[in-house]
Amino acid sequence: MNTQEALLNFCLRLADNNMIAAQRLAEWCSRGPILEEDLALTNISLDLFGQAENFYEYAATLQNNGKTADDLAFLRSEREYFNNLLVEQPNGDFAFSTMKQFLYAAFAKPLYEALQASKDETLKGITSKAVKEIKYHLRHSSEWLVRFGNGTEESLKRSQIALNELWRYTDDMFLMNDNDKALIEAGISIDLNTIKTSFMATVNEIFKAAHLSIPETNNIITGGCNAIHSEHLGVMLCEMQYLQRAHPGAQW
Amino acid sequence: MSTQEESLKKFQQRIDADEKIEPRDWMPENYRKTLIRQISQHAHSEVIGMQPEGNWVLRAPSLRAKKILLAKIQDEGGHGLYLYSAAETFGVSRAEMIQQLQEGKAKYSSIFNYPTLTWADMGAIGWLVDGAAIVNQTMLAKCSYGPYARAMLRICKEEGFHQRQGYEIMGKMMNGTPAQREMAQDAMNRFWWPSLMMFGPPDADSAHSAESMHWKIKVESNDKLRQRFIDRTVEQANHIGLTVPDKDLKYNKETMHWEFGPINWDEFWTVVKGNGPCNHQRMNHHIHYHNEGAWVREAAMAYERKISAN
């Protein structure tokens, strides 16, 4: 595996994760439970679109074939998207979206922190800015989970249902392929297993405070980094890529 | 002279001297009522306006366009927040104002009862709708009620940015493919007249105008503001090759104003009275998601109670 190709693929994975998570959060626009929260969710969405853009721009540079960041976001199909399965799951209710946001942030924070030691300066630069934002996202979602756990019976029940549904997609975030191996050897990325302890520490701490328990399930689904997705992603891309696909070459 | 008459006289003197009225100051009941109505209507407009623009967030055609549109919608929500706060200075709560909106007792700008059918509508809304709003809000920044005037100052700065991004979308599309130009012109055709209606009925038919002008809640008339918007916007349209959909439009060299054709006020009143293309949809959406979020608000309050009890 060529390191340059592996890095390109890894950048796309990071970009796609942010892009798809941001797109899901943007669905909350005008649908929040309270105006302040509507703004908070679109704010987080905006951060993630920004991160996606930075990773896509770097990917476009690495690819060096005239394709732009927009081409990468809007003209790749579902079998060319490398995001984790978690972020593409439908929003569900506010507890479901909050849980999704929490699990993703609990993974992305230690990942970005670890990438500060990367030998690739650009990756280091992008993630050092992103880590500040992701810390806020993690705090925001953690606070809501604690509120739900200590709020009403209904809020506790809803967040436990969300956890039961979403936990099956968490292993997928730690799945690695040949790209990861090449990047670990080159000192560019990390063995994702090394941040699992940090991820588990965060979730255990918050779940304890939120009276939530991790479900026991054998139904663990993986495949995102190999572009094997759930049925939901294709539908999202149809909507997201509609104008670019319907008007090839047009400038907006 | 009774105490009431005395207070009213003093109040009018302060207004005439261009002093700002603050929440704790004495004010006539009707001044208070008019401002609650107007500021809450303004807040509701910002919030309902998130719907037609939100309709295109997921389909925005580039990363840049997505970020700008999302940031703009976020600004609108933020404007909603501080306008609700400005109205709360009268002792009315946001929950009450939302209830009035949902019961149809409070209104919002009729422009948001038109659908956003293509991406060009994001350009038309930014350029025309926010453009019209700026003309109105620049005037309202001189309003006699301090909290409202200050909120307007802040809002105007952001609206200027919104208008430029809307105009940029239109400009890019007019420079683009034939399909893009067609979309831009179509959006112009659909949003031009409703934008002119945003300034409200002609001065002669405006129910609240005289008293509002006397108290400097408004400092310029509907017709004057409308003319200012038209004069500005026609030039901008010409500059990027858009045709203003008004066959009577012509420049009067003596008055230095653009003269325009008759506005369809029947359409305006139809939409104001609830029968526009999206009135029902906008209100259903607002009520639906407000109700969907009820358990979240309850949970947050229950949690706050537990925290403060410990």
Side-chain angles (χ1 to χ4, degrees):
Chain A
M1 173 67 58
N2 166 326
T3 314
Q4 183 88 352
E5 261 177 52
L7 180 57
L8 168 64
N9 183 283
F10 185 62
C11 275
L12 287 175
R13 192 197 301 169
L14 296 172
D16 294 345
N17 262 343
N18 286 306
M19 187 75 188
I20 297 299
Q23 179 82 355
R24 279 294 189 215
L25 280 169
E27 289 176 23
W28 275 100
C29 180
S30 84
R31 295 176 171 84
I34 180 171
L35 191 49
E36 282 82 348
E37 212 42 42
D38 215 300
L39 300 183
L41 293 178
T42 43
N43 199 21
I44 295 173
S45 171
L46 206 47
D47 285 348
L48 297 180
F49 277 128
Q51 291 180 23
E53 189 175 29
N54 293 336
F55 287 122
Y56 281 134
E57 272 169 6
Y58 187 34
T61 313
L62 291 167
Q63 207 171 25
N64 193 26
N65 62 357
K67 293 245 170 76
T68 63
D70 278 335
D71 293 336
L72 291 171
F74 294 97
L75 296 172
R76 279 178 308 135
S77 301
E78 49 272 54
R79 293 284 287 109
E80 300 163 292
Y81 252 75
F82 300 106
N83 61 280
N84 294 124
L85 301 174
L86 176 78
V87 293
E88 73 198 38
Q89 296 312 305
N91 277 344
D93 63 13
F94 187 65
F96 203 87
S97 290
T98 305
M99 182 61 76
K100 211 162 36 145
Q101 183 59 37
F102 169 72
L103 292 169
Y104 175 62
F107 162 77
K109 181 180 162 276
L111 173 62
Y112 292 169
E113 281 169 347
L115 289 175
Q116 298 308 294
S118 171
K119 284 188 180 159
D120 186 277
E121 287 301 321
T122 311
L123 202 56
K124 210 164 128 176
I126 299 173
T127 48
S128 86
K129 180 174 174 280
V131 80
K132 290 179 198 133
E133 293 172 346
I134 211 86
K135 274 183 189 166
Y136 161 70
H137 305 166
L138 182 61
R139 198 181 74 212
H140 178 261
S141 50
S142 301
E143 283 172 0
W144 272 109
L145 290 182
V146 172
R147 253 176 232 134
F148 291 152
N150 299 281
T152 61
E153 243 174 74
E154 184 177 7
S155 63
L156 173 61
K157 192 174 142 204
R158 284 179 187 254
S159 44
Q160 184 63 55
I161 290 173
L163 178 56
N164 294 349
E165 282 300 314
L166 291 168
W167 188 253
R168 74 189 77 246
Y169 301 108
T170 49
D171 274 5
D172 180 53
M173 295 190 286
F174 299 92
L175 190 71
M176 289 180 284
N177 56 23
D178 288 345
N179 296 308
D180 295 84
K181 280 181 202 151
L183 295 180
I184 294 166
E185 270 174 38
I188 291 175
S189 185
I190 53 149
D191 181 343
L192 294 177
N193 289 311
T194 60
I195 57 166
K196 195 150 193 184
T197 326
S198 168
F199 169 79
M200 286 309 297
T202 307
V203 300
N204 284 329
E205 180 200 334
I206 298 303
F207 290 169
K208 190 176 173 213
H211 310 293
L212 294 167
S213 35
I214 292 174
E216 283 179 26
T217 175
N218 294 321
N219 186 237
I220 299 296
I221 307 169
T222 59
C225 71
N226 297 321
I228 301 289
H229 291 279
S230 59
E231 291 176 348
H232 308 296
L233 182 69
V235 181
M236 284 184 82
L237 295 185
C238 278
E239 184 173 47
M240 190 172 98
Q241 300 179 337
Y242 145 71
L243 277 171
Q244 289 266 356
R245 301 269 191 191
H247 301 272
Q251 297 297 308
W252 307 90
Chain B
M1 198 180 273
S2 71
T3 328
Q4 179 76 9
E5 282 167 350
E6 185 70 22
S7 304
L8 188 60
K9 194 179 155 201
K10 273 191 195 154
F11 175 80
Q12 192 62 49
Q13 281 168 350
R14 292 187 62 197
I15 297 278
D16 295 342
D18 282 334
E19 278 181 40
K20 294 285 180 226
I21 306 300
E22 296 299 333
R24 285 162 190 278
D25 298 347
W26 185 91
M27 61 188 81
E29 188 51 25
N30 231 16
Y31 180 84
R32 186 177 167 274
K33 274 192 189 153
T34 301
L35 275 161
I36 293 178
R37 181 177 53 76
Q38 193 173 324
I39 301 173
S40 71
Q41 176 173 329
H42 197 160
H44 298 323
S45 301
E46 300 280 359
V47 171
I48 298 295
M50 295 168 81
Q51 290 183 36
E53 294 191 301
N55 181 37
W56 279 92
V57 163
L58 301 177
R59 290 175 290 172
S62 70
L63 289 156
R64 181 171 178 271
K66 229 180 219 317
K67 280 172 31 184
I68 292 177
L69 181 60
L70 203 53
K72 174 181 192 293
I73 299 173
Q74 211 186 7
D75 284 348
E76 313 288 9
H79 298 170
L81 274 184
Y82 39 88
L83 283 163
Y84 280 128
S85 302
E88 280 176 332
T89 58
F90 291 110
V92 51
S93 73
R94 201 203 304 181
E96 287 170 84
M97 288 184 264
I98 288 174
Q99 197 185 341
Q100 285 167 354
L101 170 70
Q102 296 187 344
E103 287 172 353
K105 290 176 189 159
K107 295 204 180 309
Y108 56 89
S109 178
S110 277
I111 194 78
F112 300 122
N113 289 318
Y114 291 88
T116 52
L117 301 179
T118 72
W119 174 251
D121 292 11
M122 295 303 99
I125 286 192
W127 172 43
L128 298 175
V129 174
D130 290 355
I134 290 172
V135 171
N136 195 37
Q137 289 165 0
T138 308
M139 176 272 290
L140 288 172
K142 296 173 204 146
C143 160
S144 60
Y145 189 59
Y148 194 31
R150 289 189 288 272
M152 283 303 113
L153 270 183
R154 198 168 150 189
I155 287 174
C156 279
K157 282 182 198 155
E158 290 179 351
E159 295 290 3
F161 160 75
H162 298 168
Q163 200 205 6
R164 281 193 295 280
Q165 69 86 29
Y167 190 57
E168 185 196 282
I169 289 176
M170 291 306 242
K172 275 191 177 169
M173 291 183 78
M174 287 307 287
N175 260 326
T177 65
Q180 284 178 302
R181 282 199 291 280
E182 198 179 309
M183 263 191 257
Q185 183 62 53
D186 172 60
M188 174 76 178
N189 296 348
R190 284 181 288 110
F191 278 95
W192 173 255
W193 292 103
S195 301
L196 301 190
M197 295 175 199
M198 282 176 69
F199 296 95
D203 296 346
D205 306 330
S206 180
H208 306 290
S209 273
E211 194 176 61
S212 287
M213 301 266 296
H214 188 54
W215 283 335
K216 293 186 184 168
I217 294 173
K218 284 170 72 157
V219 295
E220 287 177 291
S221 76
N222 294 354
D223 286 334
K224 198 171 171 191
L225 295 168
R226 185 167 16 245
Q227 185 65 54
R228 182 175 301 150
F229 170 72
I230 291 170
D231 289 344
R232 255 182 217 182
T233 313
V234 170
E235 307 288 344
Q236 293 170 349
N238 291 342
H239 184 69
I240 55 173
L242 279 166
T243 306
V244 177
D246 179 355
K247 61 179 172 37
D248 298 323
L249 191 76
K250 63 170 189 290
Y251 190 67
N252 183 327
K253 280 183 188 160
E254 279 171 28
T255 60
M256 298 205 293
H257 289 304
W258 285 89
E259 290 173 357
F260 53 98
I263 294 174
N264 182 351
W265 292 109
D266 289 342
E267 175 184 324
F268 173 77
W269 290 115
T270 300
V271 182
V272 168
K273 286 175 184 155
N275 296 315
C278 296
N279 297 62
H280 186 68
Q281 179 189 332
R282 299 287 182 245
M283 209 33 60
N284 264 358
H285 178 109
H286 193 271
I287 293 170
H288 175 80
Y289 288 102
H290 184 73
N291 293 343
E292 286 273 295
W295 71 268
V296 179
R297 297 189 295 275
E298 279 161 26
M301 284 191 297
Y303 178 68
E304 286 308 313
R305 278 195 299 271
K306 278 182 200 171
I307 292 292
S308 50
N310 289 332

